[in-house]
Amino acid sequence: MAVARDNQLDALRAIAVTMVLYSHFLAPNGSSFWGHIGVRLFFVLSGFLITRLLLEARAAAEFEAGPALRSFYIRRALRIFPPYFAVLGFVWLTDLEQSSGSLVWHALYLSNFWYALRNEWTPWLLCHFWSLSIEEQFYIAWPLVVLLAPRRRVEAITIGVILLSLAYRFYWPITATPALARDLLPPASMDALALGALLACRRTRGAALPQWMRLGWPALAAIFLAIEWLVPAPADPMLEWARWALLQILPLVPLVAVVAACSAGLGGALGRVFELPPLLSLGRISYSVYLYHPILLSLAVKSQPWIPLNVSEQGPGRFMVASAATIAVASISWTVFEKPLNGLKRRFPYVARHRSQARAGDAGWLGRAADAYPSGSPDGRAALDLQRTDAQR
């Protein structure tokens, strides 16, 4: 069942990144609706997977906070940094879409602050880096909480983070100045990340999803869709704020419910769909797909004279060409570049093994690939070097 659960979470990554591709390549009028949901799903996945990983490491008898933290940061760097900085290097060399002027901000994982301070999506080529910056900021701070705070307090801290994130949204009616900052500053996304973390906290102590979530998520999803599709954006600042706040908050419980269901393992026909090989393969490379897709879009548009389909505008032609090119490049990147580097993570276990355990586990390690990116954001299930089953692929 552990393998089934991991597979189904890979499928969720595939669905999330497909939403982003649809939004950026095909959606009429450049609608960001499905892309927004895809990114929020990545955040919930990230919070869940990273917290589950850290709590399992902490539960081991051989656990030590210092080595576990060091291993976490090294393993995250091995997974995230190589393709990320390869993209920045390519943009620096080519100055693609005149994007080189902001590279220092992106290199420091401050993309969200760059766009928030400017209040415009310039340069557009790297605007998707805002979510990667949010996740990196989360990766820096959250392990300190999970591994160093008293274990009995972690869940309460998680709930506090959720409440603070929700309270942040009430700042905007005071200023009445809607701006990119209200979406891009870290508190705007901490509710999704922390809700995923809360799910992991409950799972590790054997608690199920609360009944009100299990029963109420379809109604919340229906209300969210009705507001998005049927209620136009009002001109009045207070009404606009209320609509924005609801659209940010309402989808969270449905997304948590979906992650909870897949992490427990869906059965029947739906479970088989979530384990289809193409879906799992796309989920495995979803980080690279998310990372590279605007670069491939820019190159496709520049190559329009040699492409028989229309890639210069949103539509089927752009979706087919840019998506195919992105998936092809991401697949090559994963196989040739990222996967071998991920193999180095086995040198940095979260929990030190006894020599007898190490000898017994070496053969198993050789058959495992490194963990893949879970989300619009990168946070694979890093392998726990414990006596229990290793989740690394």
Side-chain angles (χ1 to χ4, degrees):
M1 179 58 79
V3 173
R5 289 199 298 268
D6 290 346
N7 284 347
Q8 291 177 13
L9 292 176
D10 271 344
L12 280 186
R13 296 189 188 96
I15 292 170
V17 82
T18 300
M19 290 179 179
V20 173
L21 295 182
Y22 170 82
S23 181
H24 291 173
F25 296 163
L26 182 58
N29 303 317
S31 169
S32 61
F33 170 69
W34 290 112
H36 172 75
I37 296 300
V39 170
R40 298 286 270 177
L41 177 55
F42 272 131
F43 285 157
V44 174
L45 276 167
S46 294
F48 172 73
L49 292 167
I50 290 301
T51 306
R52 184 182 72 174
L53 160 70
L54 295 171
L55 289 175
E56 288 181 354
R58 184 168 182 167
E62 302 87 352
F63 167 77
E64 294 180 43
L69 279 171
R70 182 173 61 250
S71 293
F72 176 85
Y73 291 129
I74 292 174
R75 293 168 71 96
R76 286 292 83 206
L78 287 170
R79 177 65 189 105
I80 296 170
F81 287 178
Y84 183 88
F85 286 100
V87 168
L88 292 184
F90 178 78
V91 172
W92 177 72
L93 288 172
T94 62
D95 195 20
L96 195 62
E97 306 294 343
Q98 294 78 51
S99 301
S100 59
S102 61
L103 291 186
V104 172
W105 288 75
H106 302 300
L108 294 174
Y109 281 95
L110 295 174
S111 306
N112 54 329
F113 286 95
W114 166 266
Y115 291 111
L117 291 170
R118 295 173 63 85
N119 198 31
E120 61 180 16
W121 292 112
T122 303
W124 72 265
L125 187 75
L126 300 176
C127 65
H128 64 307
F129 276 24
W130 78 267
S131 61
L132 302 180
S133 295
I134 289 284
E135 294 218 3
E136 186 64 20
Q137 291 153 20
F138 175 73
Y139 293 153
I140 291 172
W142 193 243
L144 300 174
V145 172
V146 178
L147 297 182
L148 299 181
R151 176 63 184 86
R152 65 184 183 279
R153 302 294 185 191
V154 172
E155 190 167 337
I157 293 171
T158 303
I159 294 172
V161 171
I162 296 169
L163 294 176
L164 286 173
S165 182
L166 296 176
Y168 164 83
R169 305 190 191 287
F170 288 88
Y171 165 78
W172 298 102
I174 300 174
T175 63
T177 53
L180 287 180
R182 70 180 187 179
D183 292 304
L184 301 187
L185 296 183
S189 298
M190 287 302 111
D191 49 5
L193 287 159
L195 273 167
L198 182 60
L199 175 63
C201 290
R202 292 180 63 87
R203 280 287 167 81
T204 56
R205 63 179 176 85
L209 200 66
Q211 186 173 6
W212 73 268
M213 284 190 175
R214 295 199 307 272
L215 300 179
W217 74 262
L220 294 173
I223 296 171
F224 166 72
L225 293 175
I227 294 174
E228 172 65 33
W229 290 340
L230 302 178
V231 179
D236 182 89
M238 285 296 293
L239 293 177
E240 193 279 339
W241 161 79
R243 182 179 186 274
W244 167 77
L246 287 172
L247 292 178
Q248 296 297 313
I249 296 169
L250 287 172
L252 290 175
V253 170
L255 292 177
V256 170
V258 169
V259 172
C262 290
S263 66
L266 292 170
L270 187 58
R272 290 192 292 273
V273 169
F274 270 69
E275 295 175 27
L276 291 173
L279 205 60
L280 303 183
S281 297
L282 180 58
R284 193 167 296 117
I285 62 170
S286 57
Y287 172 44
S288 303
V289 170
Y290 186 83
L291 190 61
Y292 298 149
H293 79 276
I295 309 297
L296 273 298
L297 172 60
S298 176
L299 296 176
V301 171
K302 292 180 182 298
S303 303
Q304 178 65 86
W306 300 279
I307 299 176
L309 299 175
N310 180 13
V311 297
S312 298
E313 299 175 344
Q314 294 278 102
R318 170 179 285 190
F319 183 77
M320 291 173 59
V321 173
S323 295
T326 299
I327 292 171
V329 171
S331 299
I332 295 170
S333 174
W334 168 252
T335 302
V336 176
F337 179 38
E338 299 168 58
K339 186 176 178 181
L341 288 174
N342 277 350
L344 298 176
K345 289 191 292 188
R346 71 188 64 175
R347 300 176 182 270
F348 304 97
Y350 289 98
V351 178
R353 293 177 294 175
H354 297 301
R355 290 184 178 180
S356 58
Q357 291 175 311
R359 287 194 297 270
D362 281 345
W365 275 110
L366 294 175
R368 300 185 184 104
D371 40 343
Y373 176 61
S375 68
S377 59
D379 51 352
R381 286 177 304 281
L384 283 178
D385 212 17
L386 309 173
Q387 297 180 26
R388 62 179 69 103
T389 302
D390 193 306
Q392 192 177 29
R393 295 185 305 281

